Amino acid sequence: MGRLNGIVVDRQENRPMYLAIDGRHGADERTQHLFLVPVGDAWFDDTARVVRIDAPRRERIRFDPDEFDRMTAAQADEYERRVLAACCPEVGFYRDGQPHYARLE
C-alpha cells in the first residue's frame, strides 16, 4: 500500500487521528502521493515490524502537509469532513458539525 510518512494529530485533544501514507507507485515513484488512513483501521504487526491496515479499500483523499498547514480552522474542518465521508461514514456528526468520534470502536 505504501510507507508511513507521518501522523495527523487532533489539535484539541492531542490524539492521533490519521496515518499519512506515501503510496508511491511504479514509474511515478519520485512523486510523493500522500493519503490518509484512520488510525483505527491500522495495527502494528510486531512480528513483521510493519503497520497493517485491516480495512476495505475506500476512496483515498490526497493529503498535502504544506497545504494543510496553510488551511484556516474552517478549511481544516471541511477537509476533515471530506476525509470522514470517504473513509468512515459511520462516524457521523454532531448538530454543530463536529465529528462524533465516540461512535468508533
Side-chain angles (χ1 to χ4, degrees):
M1 175 177 243
R3 293 191 171 274
L4 179 65
N5 184 278
I7 299 173
V8 177
V9 177
D10 181 284
R11 65 180 173 254
Q12 293 163 337
E13 296 185 29
N14 199 33
R15 66 182 175 134
M17 301 299 294
Y18 300 98
L19 303 177
I21 304 297
D22 186 350
R24 299 173 200 214
H25 298 320
D28 203 19
E29 287 188 17
R30 292 183 309 262
T31 305
Q32 190 174 50
H33 295 286
L34 294 180
F35 60 91
L36 299 180
V37 172
V39 168
D41 285 353
W43 59 280
F44 184 71
D45 180 343
D46 198 29
T47 304
R49 311 230 8 106
V50 297
V51 174
R52 302 221 183 258
I53 298 171
D54 283 341
R57 187 176 182 138
R58 304 174 190 182
E59 179 186 352
R60 294 184 177 156
I61 303 296
R62 285 273 176 111
F63 178 69
D64 179 343
D66 294 330
E67 182 181 331
F68 189 75
D69 286 341
R70 290 188 299 268
M71 289 181 186
T72 66
Q75 290 170 324
D77 288 344
E78 177 56 33
Y79 178 79
E80 182 177 18
R81 283 191 283 279
R82 279 191 332 200
V83 169
L84 288 172
C87 78
C88 349
E90 67 276 11
V91 170
F93 297 91
Y94 291 106
R95 288 183 183 189
D96 66 358
Q98 294 302 307
H100 187 22
Y101 286 113
R103 288 186 177 174
L104 294 177
E105 295 180 13

